[in-house]
């Protein structure tokens, strides 16, 4: 009797889930994907051994394995696309993997994809899908109109819940005492505005803890006249030559005056200048309702926004 030998099956160096996790890390980032940097590259390290030989046979084996895994699902397709961009090059044997990843991202309905798709991939994405990548104005992590990831509203809701749970102690004022230099306080107003209005999930981890963020402001406002402080803070923040000038420092400075200072400080010209400038820049940039939820504005801020938005009769 003749002996029959089964055809050998290709042996995979990584699993499909390894590649999917790599795709999540590459597209979503470490914090949103839950895949730390070291772990992400460990996932595909065994596959990388085929890169360094420069052997056509090994490259063919590598591309074939990527293709097998990419057939398993959308995140696997993203992982294969990102792997090509990270470790290989665009060539006839890898173009299908790139196209597969771009089409997978299209099907995932990433609503701010325009902020996350690299220029090298944008023209081909438009060719494949018939239009430019979507861009709903939400800057930050990718957001989805599907079950593949969090929606923009998810981040809005988390920011609203976090803001509602904040506990703040007012600082005592010392009438007549002039505040000192406020350069550091003005810089902190920017981070404070970002943290409160955008929420801890979408800001740099270095500014996720409010007591640390507001420390320069609190220190500068302690033991001084809060009326004078509000005016001096506005001078520092609204200096267009300063690095701290902008929407987040203006609205953050106004919020600090409202919540941390003597209640009379909201009657100052400085507070009004901070608030009006912040709201104006936010409106001009179409950031209200896109970058953050209008619900995060305080009641006085919402009233003033309505006033600024109402045409003069």
């Amino acid at each position: 009797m003749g002996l029959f030998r089964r055809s050998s099956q290709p042996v995979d160096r990584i699993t499909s889930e390894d590649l999917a996790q790599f795709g999540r890390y590459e597209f979503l980032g470490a914090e949103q994907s839950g895949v730390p940097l070291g772990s992400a590259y460990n996932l595909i390290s065994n596959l990388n051994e085929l890169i360094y030989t420069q052997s056509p046979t090994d490259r063919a084996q590598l591309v074939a394995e990527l293709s097998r895994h990419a057939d398993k699902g959308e995140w696997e397709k993203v992982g294969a696309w990102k792997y090509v961009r990270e470790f290989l090059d665009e060539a006839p044997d890898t173009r299908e993997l790139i196209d597969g990843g771009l089409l997978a991202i299209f099907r995932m309905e990433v609503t701010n994809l325009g902020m996350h798709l690299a220029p090298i991939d944008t023209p081909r994405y438009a060719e494949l899908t018939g239009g430019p990548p979507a861009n709903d104005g939400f800057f930050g992590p990718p957001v989805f109109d599907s079950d593949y990831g969090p929606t923009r509203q998810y981040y809005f809701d988390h920011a609203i819940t976090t803001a509602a749970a904040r506990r703040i102690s007012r600082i005592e004022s010392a009438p007549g005492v002039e505040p000192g230099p406020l350069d550091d306080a003005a810089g902190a107003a920017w981070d404070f505005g970002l943290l409160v209005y955008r929420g801890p999930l979408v800001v740099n981890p270095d500014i996720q803890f409010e007591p640390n963020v507001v420390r320069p402001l609190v220190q500068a406002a302690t033991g001084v006249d809060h009326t004078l402080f509000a005016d001096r803070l506005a001078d520092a923040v609204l200096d267009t030559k300063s690095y701290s000038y902008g929407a987040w420092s203006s609205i953050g400075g106004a919020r600090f005056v409202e919540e941390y200072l003597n209640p009379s400080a909201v009657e100052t010209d400085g507070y009004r200048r901070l608030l009006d400038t912040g709201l104006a820049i936010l409106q001009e940039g179409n950031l209200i309702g896109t970058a953050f939820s209008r619900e995060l504005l305080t009641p006085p801020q919402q009233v003033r926004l309505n006033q600024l938005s109402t045409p003069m009769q």
Side-chain angles (χ1 to χ4, degrees), residues 165-187:
R166 294 165 61 235
R167 295 293 180 264
I168 302 158
S169 299
R170 288 193 182 271
I171 306 164
E172 290 189 11
S173 180
V177 178
E178 284 272 359
L182 296 183
D183 290 345
D184 290 345

Side-chain angles (χ1 to χ4, degrees), residues 39 73 92 111 214 218 230:
S39 298
T111 63
V214 298
V218 170

